[in-house]
Amino acid sequence: MLHEPELEFRAGNRHIDPRYGLSVFGPADADSPTAPHQIPVALVGPAQAVDGIQSWLQRCQNRIEAKDTKSGQENLHQPFPGFSVDSQFGAELVFDSALVREIPERQLRRLARADVASATADAVEIYAEAARSLAETGRCRVVICARPDELNDCEDRPSPVASAPDEEEQEDREAGGDFHDLLKARMLTLSAPLQLMRKETWTGIPARTGGQVTRPLQDEATRAWNLHTALYYKAGGTPWRMQRHSTDLATCYVGVSFYRSANGQELHTAVAQIFNERGDGVVVRGGTAQISKSDRQPHLALSDARRLLLDALSEYRNNHGHQPARIVVHKTSNFTPSEIDGFHEAADERDIDQVDMLWIQRRGAPHLYRTGQLPPLRGTTVQLDARSLLLYTRGSVPYFRTYPGMYVPQPLLIRLASRGTDLLLAGTDILALSKMNWNNAQLDERDPLTLRTAYRVGSILKQVPPDARIATRYAYYM
């Protein structure tokens, strides 16, 4: 059983819950001279949506009470403390009529009459032009776009999966709509990242299709937590960071994933998501992968694996001013001998001695059963053999005194592809990285950040030409 990892907040204060830590101590970088205390935001969308977003964001400057919970489970939902310079966030959103681009109703009506593909392409063009004109002023830190109601791309279509998915997969499908991905792909070279908002976020009215609610709606305090945490990070802030002892090695966490090109040529391109203990994230695009005949999964040749990790380490050094002493590589597919050799060659070239390679399987792991009605505790581990560990990153949480999920939690199966790796340390890292998603202020997501980002990054990069310049900062993809 692994202990719930603590996170670090202002002045080195620690707590296991991001929401509690922010509301009591404040962001980790609150005392830094570069912390974003004033965040000018630009707004793009129909006039009514722009007004609605601004009104709701101004309401969020003040405290929003938490959703009612059962007695004894008060920690499950936390009140939002307000986002202002007087709250523990120590930051406020700044609005300016000069940083607003209203989309004319005439253009929106045209979207409603077009087929899905044409409407999506037109909407991307309209919003991209507006967002670019705002970002190029150099006066805004984040551009907020109201998603047009007139679109009916795959983001709004019901899931074809009949059985209940796990919650992370449901969120991934919702985040991967055509408009979202295409617009973000177009905006990867702007000076300010985008934040897309659905109408239900600021109205509090669930979206419906054919009279049925298309997705569950979070309570208002939770919506405020998630949005403002993301805005703070996108503006350059550090809401919280992973705990690091003075004796710990400086670690570079690398998630390696693949995405299929959008041109139908079945090319799989490697991408690395690189993070340090602070959660600072950068993205590196690699070479083309080949499908293995043995497991039908994309894999890298030795030279491409070496180059991908070398590029990742270069970005790490550019961002942090030093090389790490330890590299941890996560993949959702097995490591081939060529990949292992390529990653080791890159580490040797940079004189890095410790390289941990972990194959993390999200499906097919055996399930555990606990006496009583609640699932196993989050942090439950079972070492299956010398190189395999079963880990519950979702499960019952003593701090909540319940299991906060909707579906039966599925454990991760962690397999070592490197020698000398401490399995329990690897599991502790993964548990801590599962708390580092700044799109969501909950403490018990299933996937570590290294894998959580893979779907979002790949779905956006597949819309970008291979030779096009891209943003390396992860804030542009979330």
Side-chain angles (χ1 to χ4, degrees), residues 120-184:
T120 302
D122 288 346
V124 169
E125 190 65 34
I126 293 168
Y127 274 71
E129 183 178 348
R132 181 172 290 107
S133 70
L134 291 166
E136 288 177 350
T137 66
R139 297 172 52 199
C140 58
R141 301 284 287 272
V142 183
V143 180
I144 300 176
C145 295
R147 190 182 190 283
D149 293 336
E150 290 75 11
L151 285 183
N152 186 32
D153 64 342
C154 68
E155 187 172 351
D156 283 338
R157 292 197 289 272
S159 167
V161 181
S163 59
D166 70 49
E167 289 156 292
E168 280 75 17
E169 289 172 349
Q170 180 66 33
E171 290 176 8
D172 278 344
R173 279 198 294 273
E174 293 168 0
D178 292 345
F179 176 74
H180 173 279
D181 298 343
L182 287 166
L183 182 60
K184 291 244 177 175

Side-chain angles (χ1 to χ4, degrees), residues 1-5 368 375-383 389-398 403 409-412 414 423-424 427-428 430-432 434-435 443-446:
M1 180 73 192
L2 300 179
H3 293 292
E4 187 66 61
L368 304 179
L377 295 172
R378 169 176 153 88
T380 298
T381 58
V382 175
Q383 188 162 339
L389 182 75
L390 197 68
L391 170 63
Y392 272 85
T393 50
R394 293 228 73 197
S396 302
V397 179
Y403 167 56
Q410 301 179 43
L412 300 176
I414 304 165
L423 261 177
L424 289 180
T428 300
I430 289 171
L431 200 63
S434 72
K435 304 166 78 130
L443 67 80
D444 64 333
E445 288 207 337
R446 185 187 181 201

Side-chain angles (χ1 to χ4, degrees), residues 136-268:
E136 288 177 350
T137 66
R139 297 172 52 199
C140 58
R141 301 284 287 272
V142 183
V143 180
I144 300 176
C145 295
R147 190 182 190 283
D149 293 336
E150 290 75 11
L151 285 183
N152 186 32
D153 64 342
C154 68
E155 187 172 351
D156 283 338
R157 292 197 289 272
S159 167
V161 181
S163 59
D166 70 49
E167 289 156 292
E168 280 75 17
E169 289 172 349
Q170 180 66 33
E171 290 176 8
D172 278 344
R173 279 198 294 273
E174 293 168 0
D178 292 345
F179 176 74
H180 173 279
D181 298 343
L182 287 166
L183 182 60
K184 291 244 177 175
R186 286 283 298 275
M187 299 293 100
L188 289 181
T189 57
L190 292 187
S191 59
L194 297 186
Q195 174 69 47
L196 271 66
M197 288 182 64
R198 301 188 187 100
K199 185 176 181 179
E200 56 263 38
T201 301
W202 69 84
T203 63
I205 302 172
R208 295 178 178 272
T209 300
Q212 294 186 335
V213 175
T214 56
R215 65 176 66 86
L217 182 65
Q218 295 171 322
D219 63 280
E220 186 178 24
T222 299
R223 299 197 308 273
W225 271 118
N226 294 341
L227 177 66
H228 287 82
T229 302
L231 291 176
Y232 188 85
Y233 172 63
K234 290 183 179 184
T238 304
W240 58 82
R241 58 172 66 104
M242 290 169 60
Q243 180 181 354
R244 181 186 170 196
H245 298 289
S246 59
T247 56
D248 291 343
L249 297 177
T251 302
C252 172
Y253 298 97
V254 182
V256 177
S257 59
F258 305 91
Y259 63 91
R260 185 177 299 175
S261 61
N263 60 12
Q265 295 183 7
E266 300 295 316
L267 297 177
H268 291 72

